[in-house]
Amino acid sequence: MFRLPSFHPKVLLWRAATNIGPLPVLVRARESAVWQDFWRTERSEAAFLDYAKNTPLRDWLANYCAGLRPESVVELGPNVGANLQAIWRSDRNIKLYGVELNDNAVKWGMQHMPEGCGAKLLTGSMADVAGVLERNGIEGADVVFSCGATMHVNDEIFAAAKQQALKLARKAIIHVEYNAWTPAELQNGRNWRSSFLSDRWVRDYVAEYESMPGVSRVDCIRIPPEINVARNIGRLWINDMTAMIVVHRN
């Protein structure tokens, strides 16, 4: 394929426009604390109703989780609990818990939990998920998962959540998140966050886990495109989640 050399005037002009132009210079990503406060204080009924909707992606994740035959499952950042409800519909014998930063979402989710669904939403940070569970008399889980949640926290919070997930999960850790498939995608994603009003921390989830003690293997599964709906930011189309990463425990 034809490619302009890196020193070509058109290439130099493009780099100048994208690196020196007003967007990267004048617009900077908000700090993690701002986004944490945003997610902690959300109380809109319309937002909760939207979060509560079931989707084919939720069912796909739920069927995979249920297929691991866990006795208990913990979700990091469940919001109002729609993913846990989808797992309950797949297997009603699984004990379901979620640790959610937003107490408003916890209360709303518990008030609107379907009859017969025993999922429990608990208020707390994913960085303290082990402590939240311990204070509620819950000892670990077979599966710990997140879906569109860890991409909203910075590296410090994720590192704490990862270590606690490794401590808690007996069978598997699952992340359905924005995953970087290549080093270039990771770098581009990080540059996007640092130069735009984005709350998404892009990660290479395979690299995050593959050398961790107690991990037998890490699978990276492409989300079927027909159930992974894209949305637009201006003329740019994005997917919030790009892969399901399954960390198998020894």
Side-chain angles (χ1 to χ4, degrees):
M1 182 175 64
F2 175 74
R3 184 176 181 179
L4 291 172
S6 58
F7 54 83
H8 192 282
K10 289 185 178 179
V11 174
L12 295 175
L13 181 61
W14 171 251
R15 286 179 177 171
T18 55
N19 290 299
I20 307 175
L23 180 62
V25 173
L26 301 180
V27 182
R28 292 298 179 192
R30 296 185 177 100
E31 296 296 323
S32 174
V34 175
W35 289 114
Q36 287 289 289
D37 187 62
F38 170 81
W39 292 109
R40 184 185 292 109
T41 58
E42 174 66 72
R43 59 174 62 249
S44 166
E45 176 80 9
F48 291 154
L49 285 169
D50 190 53
Y51 292 138
K53 292 177 182 177
N54 192 44
T55 66
L57 180 58
R58 293 193 200 282
D59 289 336
W60 180 75
L61 169 61
N63 290 333
Y64 187 93
C65 286
L68 295 174
R69 298 290 183 263
E71 292 184 5
S72 56
V73 170
V74 171
E75 181 176 7
L76 308 177
N79 200 272
V80 298
N83 292 320
L84 296 174
Q85 292 177 33
I87 296 174
W88 170 71
R89 288 190 292 270
S90 291
D91 186 337
R92 303 198 172 194
N93 296 314
I94 302 173
K95 297 177 182 178
L96 301 168
Y97 308 98
V99 176
E100 167 57 44
L101 186 66
N102 188 336
D103 188 55
N104 302 314
V106 168
K107 292 175 180 176
W108 194 96
M110 291 304 296
Q111 291 171 359
H112 294 82
M113 200 65 68
E115 184 177 353
C117 179
K120 294 181 181 179
L121 302 179
L122 309 169
T123 303
S125 169
M126 67 173 67
D128 184 38
V129 59
V132 174
L133 296 180
E134 183 179 358
R135 290 190 289 274
N136 285 273
I138 303 164
E139 298 182 0
D142 291 323
V143 174
V144 175
F145 81 96
S146 74
C147 181
T150 60
M151 67 181 183
H152 293 305
V153 302
N154 66 11
D155 293 334
E156 181 180 358
I157 295 173
F158 175 74
K162 178 179 73 172
Q163 289 302 322
Q164 298 202 24
L166 286 165
K167 175 182 175 181
L168 294 168
R170 292 183 285 263
K171 283 192 172 184
I173 301 166
I174 299 173
H175 292 292
V176 179
E177 301 286 348
Y178 197 109
N179 179 68
W181 293 86
T182 66
E185 190 172 359
L186 178 62
Q187 185 64 43
N188 289 336
R190 288 299 173 116
N191 286 340
W192 166 259
R193 213 213 80 76
S194 66
S195 62
F196 195 66
L197 298 178
S198 171
D199 64 337
R200 288 163 177 78
W201 275 261
V202 179
R203 295 186 173 90
D204 179 347
Y205 284 88
V206 175
E208 290 282 353
Y209 284 99
E210 62 184 353
S211 62
M212 292 289 102
V215 172
S216 60
R217 76 175 194 275
V218 181
D219 296 331
C220 191
I221 303 169
R222 179 174 181 248
I223 299 173
E226 63 271 17
I227 65 171
N228 196 12
V229 179
R231 62 190 186 86
N232 66 304
I233 299 178
R235 297 181 64 184
L236 180 69
W237 287 87
I238 64 167
N239 289 99
D240 282 337
M241 284 81 77
T242 60
M244 177 167 70
I245 298 84
V246 184
V247 183
H248 298 273
R249 307 289 281 134
N250 289 335

